[in-house]
Structure formats: C-alpha cells, structure tokens
Amino acid sequence: MKKQRPRPAGFTLVELLVVIGIIAILVGILLPTLSRARKSAQTVQCASNMRQLYTMTQMYTNLYNGYTMPSRVWNGSSKDNMWCGINVMGPLMGVKRIGNNAASQQETIDRIAKVLRCPSSTRIKDATAIFTVDYTYNTNLGDDRSIKFYGDGSARPVGTDFRVEYEHWARFKKRTQVPGNVLVAIDATNAFSNDDYERFGSLADLTTASGSRPWPRAGTAHQQGKANALFHDGSVYLLKGFVPKGDPAPTVFDPKTTDLANWMILSPGHLVVTSPQQTYAGTAAGKPENVWSKGRPLPSF
C-alpha cells in the first residue's frame, strides 16, 4: 500500500486569508464599541472633575463664613481673582504661587487648570490666553460687579463700564441662599474665545453668539453633543447644554437647543432694577419665572 505524504504543518493560503478576514470583521465590530467605551470613560472622568470642583466650593464655604464660591472676587488680575484663579481655587487646592513675575503667575494658573480639564474637550491651548480651563462658571453666584469700589480703592461712578454702583444680581451669596437647582458649572465650548468664556451670566451666554461673543459658552464635548453640568446640590447631569442648529452659531435663542432654563442660572437680584444698565446679557429682569427660587425641582434630564 502506498503511503500518503504527510501534510505540511501550517496554514494554507486560503486558510490564512479566511483567518485574516475574520480578524478584520471582528476589528470592524469592536472598534466602534471601544470608541464608545473610551468616550464613556472620558465622560465619567469629566463628571469626576466636576464633583471635585463641588468639593472645593464646599471648602470655600467653610473657609469664608458660609459664602458660596463666587465667579470673581475682586477687580484686577483675572489670573488672581477669577473663580479658577490663584487667590480663589489656589488656596483650596494647596497651590501656592512661587515668585512674583508673570511667568510664575502663569505657571501657577496652569497647575490649577489641570484639575479643570475635560478629557473629551478638543480645546487647543492658546499661548496668548489667560485661562485654558474647560468649564464655565455661573457668575450669578457672586461677582466683583457687586462691589462699590475698584481694586485701587477709588469709588466706582454710577454707570461706569455699563454698571450701576451696586449690582444686586452680582452680590456674593451665602450657600444657604442658593437652591440646589442652580447651575454652577458646565462644559465650556471647544471653540476658543477670549470673551470671558470661563463664566456665564444667562442662558443666552450658553446658547447664542453675538458680535462680542462669537461662540456660545456651553460645550458639546460628550456623546450626542451633550455636556456635563454641575448643580448646587452637588449633582452632575449629562444634558443638552447647547446643541447647535445651523452654522454659524445662532444669535437667537432656540429652546430646542438646550435642557436648561434661565431660572437655573439667574439670581433673584435680577428682579431689582435701578437702572437700564443693570439688566445683564439681554435678560428680562423683573420676572420671577426667570430667576432661581427655592423649592423648584430640577427637571428630569
């Protein structure tokens, strides 16, 4: 009987091509899943950053006689006095400025900003910018525009810089005065803008553009163009902060572009109008339904 030659070890060309085809199919199936998983992990990390921010606002309350952290504590250098600045978040994080020059100031603010990075943000650092944080903060929680004097101690004339002598909406607030349904911070836009993007004063700031504000301040960093939003009760929601309709960005508010409302943002000080200059960002002052109030629940996002 004639012996059969033993089959050589290894794959035939056909078998190799079949295996490669199967691997290619599996990669095609798994890559979108892995991409979604990565984006989901980034969303979770961003929410964790916001919870850390909330913890720091509680620390601020404990250090400063029960006041909630304002968006800006004094006139002068934004790097020092903005909510994400050296004199505000710096002490809460244990970050101290070393040196007294512009380079040391920028180095210190960059260290603070590392905690305020959203991993989903595609914002490109601008070397000429003061801040590069990825979140924007509610200026109704407190603003230096409520202070009668400039940083040098001189009196602020009525109407200077489109302000009245004392702007009621900008008063610093005790934590107990601010309901849990007030929006504290939200993902900022990916498009860089020097127009005070690190704070917002109304729903219009977050959802519309203007000549001085070329992009809305709310971002679309996460799945389905949504944003993480921190509220004053410490909860973080993934919601529709601003979903653009059309290009360029809209200049007229469309309620379909957001889950937010002015009553989550505007302080009751907007009900007190002593001058036409006191209305902020085109908001309709004097209407209770437009400002925050206790007992009003958050909607289901």
Side-chain angles (χ1 to χ4, degrees), residues 154-271:
S154 61
R156 174 185 293 154
V158 174
T160 301
D161 294 333
F162 303 103
R163 309 166 186 176
V164 294
E165 187 177 5
Y166 192 98
E167 300 210 32
H168 296 269
W169 65 266
R171 288 176 176 174
F172 291 21
K173 279 82 174 177
K174 292 278 188 177
R175 180 171 285 272
T176 53
Q177 293 177 297
V178 184
N181 57 29
V182 172
L183 179 65
V184 174
I186 190 169
D187 287 318
T189 179
N190 286 331
F192 190 84
S193 169
N194 282 312
D195 184 41
D196 290 334
Y197 76 86
E198 73 288 330
R199 57 181 172 166
F200 62 92
S202 70
L203 190 60
D205 282 347
L206 295 176
T207 59
T208 62
S210 67
S212 62
R213 187 182 63 253
W215 298 96
R217 292 175 187 169
T220 57
H222 304 291
Q223 305 99 308
Q224 300 174 331
K226 292 188 175 182
N228 272 323
L230 170 66
F231 288 85
H232 202 254
D233 64 355
S235 59
V236 177
Y237 290 91
L238 185 64
L239 51 76
K240 208 164 46 168
F242 162 63
V243 178
K245 290 186 178 296
D247 188 23
T251 58
V252 179
F253 171 65
D254 180 353
K256 294 179 181 179
T257 63
T258 184
D259 291 326
L260 300 171
N262 264 325
W263 62 262
M264 301 177 191
I265 300 171
L266 300 178
S267 75
H270 285 272
L271 298 176

Side-chain angles (χ1 to χ4, degrees), residues 19 38 53 55 63 70 74 93 102 114 116 120 169 182 199 201 212 231 260 292-293 295:
V19 171
R38 180 176 59 85
L53 173 58
T55 298
L63 287 171
W74 194 242
M93 297 171 58
K114 287 180 180 179
L116 302 172
S120 296
W169 65 266
V182 172
R199 57 181 172 166
S212 62
F231 288 85
L260 300 171
W292 75 53
S293 61

Side-chain angles (χ1 to χ4, degrees), residues 3-31:
K3 292 183 178 181
Q4 291 183 339
R5 287 195 307 170
R7 183 178 178 183
F11 292 107
T12 66
L13 178 59
V14 173
E15 290 171 331
L16 183 61
L17 291 174
V18 169
V19 171
I20 292 173
I22 292 172
I23 292 173
I25 292 171
L26 291 174
V27 168
I29 294 172
L30 291 175
L31 275 181

